[in-house]
Amino acid sequence: MKKEIYFIRHWETDRNLNDIMNPWDIDSELNNTWIEQANNVWKSLKQDWVYFDIIVSSSLQRASKTAEIIAGAIWYKWEIIKMDVFKERYVGIFKDYYKKQFLEEFWVKNISSLLEKFPNKVFEWVEKTEDFQNRINKAMKYITNNIEYSGKRILIVAHWGVGRLVTWIDQIDNCKLVKINN
């Protein structure tokens, strides 16, 4: 039996709101406004009998807290599986950059474009695009090939960069549920 896999980007943090990079090593919290809105969204979806058999989350608190809110709203009674592999990309020296700084300083809009523009330049502690893609692809293969997940509805709660790779959607809004074609 085929499994259904869904993705949701965590709810917004103050760093997201201010358009500052929100990478692997920044464990920013959801702000109170978004926690309240998240609870309201999932309470309404509970009325539509939305459910998941398995919830997998990035281990960063902005994603794991979102997963906990969803789990509570849909009466999910199992353990949320937290996986470091679903953390956002590691951006090293750019972790406190405002996104507009990439345009102003390098004439590109993000890390991937920066690495493409300067293929021979090594930026300290920045995860290469192919390494990030391989990490996420490996995690997705684990989920899609796991026999224990057969016939299950699976929710992955993670970050913008992860969502971009698994859904092929360039701009994923916070708290938007997307079905992944696997």
Side-chain angles (χ1 to χ4, degrees):
M1 182 183 249
K2 192 172 181 176
K3 58 189 71 100
E4 291 181 46
I5 304 174
Y6 294 82
F7 174 84
I8 194 165
R9 180 181 174 196
H10 62 79
W11 279 281
E12 197 163 52
T13 66
D14 287 337
R15 287 178 73 93
N16 293 140
L17 192 62
N18 293 310
D19 225 11
I20 303 172
M21 296 294 291
N22 210 1
W24 166 290
D25 59 333
I26 301 284
D27 204 6
S28 42
E29 296 179 24
L30 300 173
N31 60 36
N32 290 333
T33 302
W34 284 94
I35 291 172
E36 183 179 317
Q37 290 174 346
N39 280 314
N40 292 335
V41 167
W42 283 96
K43 283 178 187 172
S44 68
L45 287 175
K46 179 172 67 177
Q47 293 171 355
D48 294 333
W49 294 98
V50 172
Y51 75 93
F52 298 100
D53 301 301
I54 298 167
I55 298 178
V56 177
S57 170
S58 156
S59 58
L60 291 174
Q61 67 179 332
R62 57 191 184 262
S64 60
K65 179 68 176 174
T66 299
E68 290 168 14
I69 291 167
I70 293 167
I74 63 170
W75 301 305
Y76 180 82
K77 56 186 171 197
W78 302 277
E79 181 180 350
I80 295 169
I81 302 164
K82 294 180 184 175
M83 298 175 70
D84 284 344
V85 72
F86 280 119
K87 284 183 171 183
E88 185 60 278
R89 183 182 202 158
Y90 194 80
V91 298
I93 61 173
F94 301 111
K95 73 179 180 182
D96 289 320
Y97 261 55
Y98 287 84
K99 292 178 184 173
K100 68 180 181 178
Q101 285 179 273
F102 283 101
L103 281 174
E104 293 169 355
E105 291 184 32
F106 304 109
W107 295 82
V108 297
K109 62 181 188 175
N110 56 39
I111 294 280
S112 293
S113 300
L114 178 68
L115 296 176
E116 286 174 21
K117 185 173 182 175
F118 301 103
N120 298 322
K121 173 97 172 116
V122 175
F123 294 97
E124 190 174 347
W125 302 105
V126 175
E127 187 173 21
K128 293 180 183 174
T129 302
E130 58 271 15
D131 293 340
F132 181 50
Q133 290 171 333
N134 288 337
R135 173 166 58 90
I136 301 308
N137 288 340
K138 184 178 177 182
M140 289 304 297
K141 281 182 185 174
Y142 170 79
I143 288 174
T144 56
N145 295 333
N146 190 328
I147 195 103
E148 294 177 22
Y149 295 177
S150 183
K152 306 283 186 187
R153 288 186 91 191
I154 303 160
L155 176 64
I156 299 169
V157 183
H159 312 277
W160 175 82
V162 175
R164 189 170 175 228
L165 291 174
V166 300
T167 66
W168 296 95
I169 298 172
D170 273 342
Q171 185 55 46
I172 297 177
D173 294 331
N174 294 89
C175 73
K176 180 176 173 139
L177 184 66
V178 178
K179 185 171 184 182
I180 298 173
N181 297 323
N182 58 333

